[in-house]
Amino acid sequence: MTDLNVVLPSDDTNRGERDTDVILSSYPREPRFLLPILQDIQKAFRYLPISAMKKTAAYLNIPESRVYSMGTFYKAFSLTPRGEKTIRICGGTACHLRGGAFILREVEKRLNISVGEATPDRRFTLETVNCLGACALAPVIMVNEKVYGQMTPALVATMLEEMDHEIPSTC
């Protein structure tokens, strides 16, 4: 497996090792369990740490390339750290025509990240999607499962402030 220099923060390393061990020990040592193991690792860390993928390969006695291949094949998996909240900006026709690009720029500016990145504190990941299926509410942002419709650049600030006052969830 190619080392992508993706590592857990130093304060999470021991926790990460323990969490990976707990996940692995809950499955038989059979290659057919690779996908659910990776799903559990993704859920625990919000991405697939290289160290956890290497440990999974050793545990299942399969090549690291097979684990990496599965981890990069499915869009649900990420090899880079993701934020606690995923902000998805709709890029569909209705949202585009109603100013979706301005909404995207405002989110990028306020969070100081680009599409595909996470904030340094891992609170947010920013993504664009082809369509969120809420054209009547365009332009639309979805944060995890919550939809924010008829967005404006000014409402982006309000939305982010609202999230600052929420009780942080744990992974």
Side-chain angles (χ1 to χ4, degrees), residues 76-157:
F77 294 133
S78 175
L79 299 183
T80 57
R82 299 182 52 78
E84 178 184 327
K85 296 179 185 289
T86 300
I87 299 174
R88 292 179 179 89
I89 309 290
C90 182
T93 303
C95 290
H96 177 74
L97 292 174
R98 293 183 181 160
F102 297 113
I103 306 304
L104 175 60
R105 279 198 291 270
E106 185 68 17
V107 173
E108 287 177 325
K109 181 179 94 179
R110 291 196 172 270
L111 296 179
N112 197 28
I113 59 173
S114 297
V115 171
E117 295 179 343
T119 55
D121 62 2
R122 292 193 191 166
R123 287 201 63 215
F124 301 102
T125 294
L126 180 59
E127 297 178 346
T128 57
V129 294
N130 291 334
C131 185
L132 287 171
C135 301
L137 299 174
V140 176
I141 293 177
M142 181 180 268
V143 180
N144 291 350
E145 302 303 317
K146 186 172 181 180
V147 175
Y148 294 85
Q150 300 175 332
M151 291 299 292
T152 65
L155 287 175
V156 167

Side-chain angles (χ1 to χ4, degrees), residues 67-79:
V67 178
Y68 180 80
S69 177
M70 186 169 283
T72 57
F73 179 79
Y74 292 103
K75 181 135 175 77
F77 294 133
S78 175
L79 299 183

